[in-house]
Amino acid sequence: MAGIGRWIRGGWGALALALLAACNNSPFPRGAERENTLYVAFPERSPRYLDPTSSYAAPESAYVYEVSEPPYGYQYLKRPYELIPRAAAEVVKPYFLDAQGKRLPDDAADEQIAEAVYDIPIRAGLKYSPHPAFAKDAQGGYLYHHLKPGELGDKRSPFDFKQLATREVVAEDFVYALKRHASPRLEAPVGPVFSEHVIGLKEYIALVKSESDKQLAGLPENVADKPFLDLRRWPLAGAQAVNDHLLRVRLKGRYPQWRYWLATSFTAAIPWEVDAFYAQPGMAANSLSWNQWPVGSGPFMMTEYQQDRRHVMSRNPNYRPDTYPCEGGPGDAEGGRLADCGKRIPFVDKIVAINVKEKVPIKELFKQGYLDLPELDRTDWGINLAVDRDDSDEVQRFFEQRGFQLPTDVDITNWYVGFNWLDPVVGRGDTPGQQKRNRALRQAISIAVDWEEGYGRIFRDKGGDAAHSPIPPGVFGSKEGRPGEYNPVTHRLVDGKPVRRPIEDALKLMEEAGYPGGRDVKTGKPLVLNYDFQRVITPELKAENDWMVRQFAKLGIQLDIRATDFNQFQEKVLKGRHQVYWGGWFADYPDVENFFFLLYGPNSKSLHEGENISNYASPEFDRLFRKLQSLEDGPEKAEVMAKMNDVVRQDAPWTWGYWSYSGLAFQSWVHNGKPGVVVLDRSRYLRVDVAERTRKLAEWNRPVWWPLLALAAGVIAIFIATRRAWRNRETVTATPVKVAS
């Protein structure tokens, strides 16, 4: 019986502990809410690229821009967006030279300008975050640059090495960064764009490829650990370190948009030592690379990386003195976003991101207070939760009681359905006749997909305004939303307002395309198109995809959904294996070039690893694009934009989609949150009131004790019944038996 009693007591204790733990639904360790940490989630998989040269997706940018520092950035609060210095000491204007090297006035004609020169002063005293690549021995040699096969052992983090070090950021690091866009061993999505402007970069790309091929000769094609390709060996004419703190970049002619590229990670400093370190044997197998462990001089550094599970960025102990802005836009003072004026940033010590596969669990964790904001990069959570809030008075009261902050704005972000120009059915076409038929098919689909219905009335949590062109509202030259402005291919004016063309117009175009009623006029077979969706289908995404299937069905087209996670989608489009696809773009900078370059031929994703996912190519559009790049805002630029718009509206490489509303979601204890699609280093400005979070989490998530008490009563009842049965058995066993004498 003593054994039974001990078991019951032990079992009761274990069950009690289990129930106590179950009362806390937090995905973080007990007491985590008391730390000066920002807690967020990320869905699906870890970011594919954290290398500043390769990273060009929103889920990646949330990390890259906190770790690395481009020369410029954006003032956090001001709208319209305003450039400010980050790694640079100031924002500079270029000066111009003619073909003989003579300096020209700022208003010189474009045909006179041979070079635009940017002399960018780099801040003195910038330091990289601690990393073993910088560690040296007493003689000044690098400790970890000559590892032999097997010496790496089981190290899977830079922090597994005994010695870490740093060094100052110098101008040569920015030169090295520009050179990396020529490396054939990296995906460099803006390399094609940069090569058209940075003097000598196009030739440098050919040179580096040749040298890389020589270095790899005789090695297996799939070798993981390629030898270090030391780009310091070959000078790049258009990039020079005049001294340690002066970077000179020389461009071909006038290119005003270059100032915006200086605010992107593509121009952030890259230390050659880290490239050399990660090129050693065993590094790739142990997931030691830029894409897991980036290095920079920014406010944070990656200190924990568990693939598809958990990422932790911690305060960079070497970060420069930096302060919160004292100026903002309308409503910032009233909203409390200037209260931290002049205070040192970053405010939080850590950013912890955990993997939560689907949207509904992320939303519930936010409502319970366990997430300070749902995700770092998504700009639609505020819209999504605002739709929930407005669903009923009860939900609205709940949101008000919890004090959720849902700031919203109209920003330069779009979503669309695009067509692969290399595809024989929906693409350009090989012959004039095929080109005409394919264009009619794309135009028909563009009419049929009713964006006003889908993302104006049905999916309001991801809503926005239907787009009529690739020119976003809010940038110079945009006419989106203005009276009388519309896409004549997809819409017509009714009572002065643009209305989507009737489906009958689209069906006529289907006949012109050779698919009457959705069937091939030659074979009689139904037209089946593949729809490459860049997310794994969850219940909420299934509704959107079902809606898209219905849009194509209006034309008799069967749409076959081929959904993958975002990393797999990137791989697919790089190889040109997509047909019809879902795409979107968060602006890098507030200029139309950043959207038109998504349709610029030399920027083809599948052919040149650029960002033109449609692989669209039009000689006329490309000619006008090159002209646009040299123009300052003004009447001539507006005229060129209008001509480019006319070309792509007729060609219809996209269905144009919609301009999405921008909205973020923050808990009441998170301060300074503000939407801004081009501000990618938001986390350093966010402040968490840890005491308020601790108090409210305890209040919102009080343990529910009655199941525990019910279990205790049940266990006691079982114990009593068991004890009674045992005693009865003992009594029967002990009864005296008479023995006959």
Side-chain angles (χ1 to χ4, degrees):
M1 180 61 197
I4 293 175
R6 281 196 301 272
W7 182 88
I8 290 172
R9 287 193 297 273
W12 157 247
L15 285 169
L17 288 173
L19 265 178
L20 281 169
C23 290
N24 183 356
N25 192 39
S26 174
F28 303 105
R30 186 176 296 277
E33 69 277 6
R34 298 185 180 90
E35 298 179 4
N36 185 26
T37 298
L38 190 71
Y39 296 105
V40 299
F42 68 95
E44 295 186 0
R45 300 171 64 180
S46 293
R48 182 174 182 177
Y49 297 116
L50 296 182
D51 186 324
T53 305
S54 303
S55 171
Y56 212 176
E60 302 160 354
S61 299
Y63 302 94
V64 174
Y65 281 80
E66 299 293 355
V67 172
S68 63
E69 278 202 294
Y72 301 164
Y74 290 95
Q75 209 273 6
Y76 179 55
L77 298 174
K78 289 185 178 180
R79 305 293 183 271
Y81 296 106
E82 179 182 302
L83 287 170
I84 60 170
R86 282 194 70 182
E90 61 178 296
V91 175
V92 300
K93 291 184 177 181
Y95 59 88
F96 305 113
L97 304 176
D98 65 14
Q100 287 72 45
K102 180 182 176 182
R103 189 153 180 169
L104 297 169
D106 290 346
D107 60 353
D110 288 350
E111 56 269 21
Q112 292 181 283
I113 298 173
E115 293 185 21
V117 183
Y118 286 76
D119 280 347
I120 304 164
I122 303 302
R123 292 179 189 268
L126 291 182
K127 294 287 185 72
Y128 287 110
S129 58
H131 195 276
F134 303 120
K136 294 182 178 181
D137 58 25
Q139 290 72 43
Y142 288 98
L143 281 174
Y144 304 116
H145 279 214
H146 308 286
L147 299 177
K148 296 180 176 61
E151 284 188 346
L152 186 62
D154 61 355
K155 296 180 178 67
R156 296 185 176 275
S157 160
F159 304 98
D160 290 337
F161 291 80
K162 289 184 179 179
Q163 293 195 39
L164 307 177
T166 185
R167 73 160 171 84
E168 186 178 14
V169 177
V170 294
E172 191 61 46
D173 299 333
F174 296 91
V175 174
Y176 188 83
L178 287 172
K179 290 179 176 181
R180 282 178 107 233
H181 291 281
S183 175
R185 303 182 191 179
L186 298 170
E187 183 179 343
V190 301
V193 176
F194 281 13
S195 70
E196 295 197 356
H197 300 287
V198 178
I199 290 175
L201 184 55
K202 191 165 290 186
E203 295 77 14
Y204 195 81
I205 290 172
L207 170 66
V208 172
K209 183 181 186 307
S210 173
E211 294 294 336
S212 175
D213 290 344
K214 292 177 189 176
Q215 194 182 57
L216 298 178
L219 295 176
E221 287 188 12
N222 60 348
V223 62
D225 297 310
K226 296 178 175 63
F228 175 46
L229 184 63
D230 191 352
L231 301 175
R232 295 175 300 163
R233 293 169 53 196
W234 309 287
L236 171 60
Q240 176 191 359
V242 178
N243 56 51
D244 280 353
H245 299 105
L246 183 61
L247 169 67
R248 175 169 294 160
V249 181
R250 298 165 55 212
L251 307 180
K252 304 171 189 175
R254 192 195 303 270
Y255 181 43
Q257 290 80 11
W258 182 251
R259 65 186 184 270
Y260 297 125
W261 285 115
L262 290 171
T264 67
S265 68
F266 304 117
T267 56
I270 297 286
W272 70 267
E273 296 95 330
V274 178
D275 260 6
F277 177 84
Y278 285 145
Q280 297 180 93
M283 291 286 178
N286 284 22
S287 298
L288 283 164
S289 80
W290 277 97
N291 291 322
Q292 292 83 28
W293 303 100
V295 181
S297 62
F300 293 97
M301 59 183 185
M302 190 70 74
T303 53
E304 186 179 337
Y305 187 96
Q306 298 181 42
Q307 182 72 31
D308 302 334
R309 292 182 58 196
R310 175 181 163 98
H311 312 137
V312 178
M313 289 192 294
S314 302
R315 184 192 296 267
N316 174 8
N318 301 326
Y319 185 53
R320 61 182 170 87
D322 194 8
T323 57
Y324 189 85
C326 292
E327 296 180 57
D332 285 331
E334 297 82 351
R337 287 184 288 275
L338 292 177
D340 288 321
C341 161
K343 294 180 181 178
R344 284 287 296 268
I345 56 174
F347 291 113
V348 299
D349 296 327
K350 286 184 181 180
I351 302 167
V352 175
I354 59 167
N355 184 236
V356 182
K357 296 293 183 184
E358 297 184 8
K359 193 168 189 175
V360 171
I362 292 176
K363 186 185 296 186
E364 292 308 310
L365 287 170
F366 176 77
K367 289 179 179 178
Q368 290 175 283
Y370 295 124
L371 297 177
D372 297 313
L373 56 153
E375 296 179 61
L376 285 175
D377 63 288
R378 299 290 299 193
T379 59
D380 56 3
W381 272 106
I383 306 300
N384 184 285
L385 286 162
V387 170
D388 287 358
R389 177 197 60 200
D390 298 338
D391 187 54
S392 69
D393 291 342
E394 182 181 359
V395 175
Q396 188 167 9
R397 282 193 297 272
F398 173 79
F399 273 48
E400 289 173 354
Q401 288 167 1
R402 301 230 155 169
F404 298 146
Q405 303 176 76
L406 307 176
T408 60
D409 202 352
V410 177
D411 222 326
I412 40 181
T413 302
N414 76 336
W415 297 98
Y416 61 90
V417 167
F419 307 99
N420 182 4
W421 213 244
L422 305 178
D423 183 81
V425 178
V426 299
R428 178 177 182 271
D430 295 331
T431 66
Q434 191 63 48
Q435 291 168 15
K436 184 178 179 181
R437 289 190 292 273
N438 288 9
R439 181 169 58 247
L441 174 60
R442 294 190 302 272
Q443 290 180 349
I445 294 171
S446 298
I447 294 171
V449 180
D450 189 346
W451 295 102
E452 290 89 347
E453 175 198 75
Y455 292 86
R457 297 190 292 274
I458 299 176
F459 306 113
R460 293 184 300 119
D461 59 335
K462 296 181 179 179
D465 297 328
H468 291 260
S469 78
I471 304 176
V475 303
F476 172 81
S478 175
K479 297 180 180 179
E480 289 281 323
R482 294 185 183 179
E485 176 62 19
Y486 68 103
N487 180 359
V489 172
T490 57
H491 289 69
R492 58 184 181 175
L493 283 182
V494 176
D495 296 330
K497 296 180 180 179
V499 176
R500 186 164 294 275
R501 287 186 175 276
I503 198 64
E504 290 76 17
D505 289 6
L507 293 172
K508 289 178 183 177
L509 287 167
M510 288 292 288
E511 292 179 6
E512 294 178 24
Y515 300 103
R519 290 185 174 272
D520 190 316
V521 71
K522 296 178 181 178
T523 66
K525 293 181 179 180
L527 176 59
V528 180
L529 298 179
N530 295 315
Y531 180 47
D532 295 291
F533 191 71
Q534 56 176 270
R535 291 288 184 272
V536 174
I537 300 296
T538 57
E540 62 268 21
L541 291 177
K542 184 179 184 302
E544 292 181 57
N545 279 271
D546 288 346
W547 177 83
M548 190 63 70
V549 169
R550 292 195 297 273
Q551 304 309 296
F552 281 70
K554 297 174 188 175
L555 306 174
I557 300 173
Q558 297 179 23
L559 195 65
D560 183 18
I561 298 174
R562 301 191 301 188
T564 60
D565 64 43
F566 186 62
N567 289 353
Q568 292 170 321
F569 174 79
Q570 288 178 299
E571 188 67 28
K572 185 186 296 184
V573 298
L574 275 171
K575 295 177 180 178
R577 295 176 179 171
H578 55 306
Q579 188 174 39
V580 181
Y581 69 94
W582 173 267
W585 190 251
F586 294 178
D588 296 308
Y589 50 87
D591 190 274
V592 70
E593 187 211 33
N594 194 228
F595 281 81
F596 273 157
F597 100 127
L598 300 175
L599 295 167
Y600 181 48
N603 202 27
S604 163
K605 172 69 80 172
S606 305
L607 300 179
H608 307 297
E609 296 186 354
E611 288 304 313
N612 176 358
I613 301 177
S614 283
N615 301 306
Y616 175 67
S618 161
E620 177 63 6
F621 182 87
D622 291 348
R623 181 187 69 81
L624 290 167
F625 181 82
R626 286 188 288 270
K627 183 175 182 180
L628 175 85
Q629 291 180 307
S630 68
L631 298 176
E632 298 280 3
D633 292 352
E636 186 179 5
K637 182 175 179 178
E639 183 181 349
V640 171
M641 290 170 59
K643 290 178 180 178
M644 296 173 74
N645 219 10
D646 290 341
V647 172
V648 293
R649 279 174 169 172
Q650 289 299 317
D651 281 346
W654 297 352
T655 63
W656 306 122
Y658 68 101
W659 303 108
S660 62
Y661 305 134
S662 179
L664 301 179
F666 302 94
Q667 300 289 357
S668 61
W669 54 78
V670 178
H671 298 273
N672 304 326
K674 183 174 183 176
V677 70
V678 304
V679 179
L680 300 174
D681 55 341
R682 183 184 300 114
S683 297
R684 65 179 172 144
Y685 299 104
L686 300 180
R687 177 170 56 83
V688 175
D689 186 330
V690 174
E692 182 186 350
R693 177 172 64 189
T694 302
R695 178 177 59 79
K696 287 196 172 181
L697 277 176
E699 177 186 323
W700 294 356
N701 300 283
R702 288 187 174 132
V704 180
W705 294 103
W706 70 262
L708 193 60
L709 298 174
L711 179 62
V715 170
I716 292 170
I718 293 170
F719 174 74
I720 293 171
T722 303
R723 184 176 178 85
R724 184 179 295 136
W726 180 81
R727 283 182 172 174
N728 290 340
R729 188 184 65 183
E730 290 294 307
T731 301
V732 172
T733 304
T735 301
V737 179
K738 288 187 177 181
V739 181
S741 54

